[in-house]
Amino acid sequence: MKTTMKAMVAAVATTLMAGSALAGEVNKIGLAVPNLQADFFNQIKLGVEAYAGEKGIEVIVVDAKNDTATQVNQVQDLITQGIDAFIYIPAGAAAAAVPTRLARAEGIPVINVDRTPEGAPGDTFIAGESVESAYQVCNHIIGLAEGKGKMAIIHGQKGTTPEVDRFKGCKRAIDENPGIELVTQQWSQMWSPDEGFSIAQNMLQAHPDIKLIFGQADGLAMGAAKAVDVAGLSDTVIIGGYDGDVAALEYLAKCEGPFIVTATQSTQLMGRLAVDSALKVAAGEEVPERQIPNAVLTTCADAPKFVEKHP
């Protein structure tokens, strides 16, 4: 009887140990992104895939094409495919908490990147520092305008973490310069060049004496630059962007045109941090609540090195 009991105890202990080991394994990661047409999200994807590949981990990527309902369905499908960790970039502010809650209900580690869903944080939040670097971009273009003139802001998707933080930083630069007048601002849905173009055209028609434009993403800034070119105002309007997209860096490296500065984010580093954090959480290790790599103010003088190797 004693021998039998000892054998049962040993068997249970072995099972628990095996279960614990299995709980710490990450063989399959789900990555949910808002829109892979945006270079910013694609760079994060490249970072995730490259680092996961080095670790022998499968990555399943789903692209919501900026639709929240689509993203919720995609995440439900990822969970049925047996993912061991979930890297999540919300497609919008509405219903952003649902995917986090779905994954948490299954005991799956959740790593939020770039945007954090209100009321449902993941195990860690990884994002470029947006407030101070947006301040630097706006302060730079305001300085080039000698601290005076009319300014416009083309926002990203309303209510998302980067949209809110980048406005906060830029607004601080505006408030420090009483000669700057913020005459118009408009929100986009997809942070895209097409939106930047159409929004900037409307702004310039209503306020042809605009001197400064801050596009909260490089796509918006690139679109605005095209609108400024079409309006024949390239010599009088100064544009700042944000993100350090490859196309924007190539544009800046030419040192031509109205778009003259951005903040380059370490997007591939963010992807690697996300995978590393997923592994640590799954293994029961502690990770910081927030991991915030700095963005780097980038002008035409600095852009070539980032074109050659994106961080």
Side-chain angles (χ1 to χ4, degrees):
M1 181 69 178
K2 288 182 179 179
T3 303
T4 304
M5 182 60 73
K6 286 180 180 178
M8 289 175 64
V9 171
V12 170
T14 301
T15 301
L16 288 173
M17 289 173 63
S20 175
L22 289 172
E25 291 181 1
V26 175
N27 298 309
K28 188 184 296 184
I29 290 176
L31 170 61
V33 300
N35 176 25
L36 281 176
Q37 287 186 322
D39 182 66
F40 175 78
F41 299 125
N42 192 53
Q43 291 291 332
I44 292 173
K45 169 181 170 285
L46 292 174
V48 168
E49 289 177 330
Y51 191 62
E54 293 173 11
K55 303 287 185 180
I57 299 170
E58 179 186 358
V59 179
I60 305 174
V61 182
V62 291
D63 178 2
K65 301 189 187 306
N66 283 318
D67 185 77
T68 300
T70 297
Q71 190 169 62
V72 170
N73 291 332
Q74 289 174 335
V75 173
Q76 289 174 321
D77 186 54
L78 285 174
I79 291 170
T80 64
Q81 293 184 61
I83 58 172
D84 304 303
F86 177 41
I87 299 173
Y88 174 40
I89 311 174
V98 175
T100 301
R101 290 170 179 156
L102 289 171
R104 281 198 173 283
E106 299 296 325
I108 298 169
V110 180
I111 311 302
N112 289 130
V113 180
D114 187 55
R115 308 171 180 182
T116 185
E118 186 175 350
D123 293 287
T124 186
F125 174 48
I126 300 167
E129 193 293 311
S130 286
V131 178
E132 185 62 29
S133 43
Y135 168 80
Q136 291 176 359
V137 169
C138 288
N139 197 52
H140 184 82
I141 61 175
I142 287 170
L144 292 176
E146 298 181 341
K148 56 189 177 184
K150 294 183 178 180
M151 184 169 179
I153 296 179
I154 305 177
H155 293 253
Q157 192 176 18
K158 194 166 190 175
T160 56
T161 309
E163 183 272 321
V164 172
D165 287 350
R166 291 173 197 178
F167 178 68
K168 186 184 299 182
C170 186
K171 186 63 165 56
R172 175 155 59 95
I174 294 170
D175 291 343
E176 290 176 356
N177 290 273
I180 295 296
E181 181 184 1
L182 180 59
V183 294
T184 182
Q185 49 186 322
Q186 188 171 330
W187 284 258
S188 65
Q189 287 296 319
M190 299 180 67
W191 311 72
S192 69
D194 287 345
E195 288 177 301
F197 177 74
S198 61
I199 290 172
Q201 272 199 322
N202 292 335
M203 288 175 163
L204 290 168
Q205 287 171 2
H207 304 276
D209 52 350
I210 285 174
K211 298 300 180 189
L212 300 166
I213 299 175
F214 174 47
Q216 286 193 340
D218 283 339
L220 297 171
M222 293 279 282
K226 183 178 177 182
V228 167
D229 286 340
V230 169
L233 298 172
S234 297
D235 293 333
T236 60
V237 178
I238 303 168
I239 299 172
Y242 201 103
D243 283 335
D245 288 351
V246 171
L249 292 169
E250 290 173 345
Y251 178 107
L252 290 178
K254 297 175 184 177
C255 296
E256 298 175 353
F259 176 26
I260 55 90
V261 65
T262 190
T264 300
Q265 299 209 71
S266 299
T267 42
Q268 294 199 29
L269 170 62
M270 289 160 63
R272 295 193 296 273
L273 276 174
V275 174
D276 195 50
S277 297
L279 295 175
K280 288 178 178 177
V281 173
E285 298 179 30
E286 289 189 6
V287 293
E289 182 180 344
R290 297 171 68 88
Q291 301 180 68
I292 312 294
N294 286 332
V296 180
L297 190 75
T298 307
T299 64
C300 75
D302 311 306
K305 66 182 179 184
F306 292 130
V307 171
E308 184 176 344
K309 182 175 176 57
H310 202 286

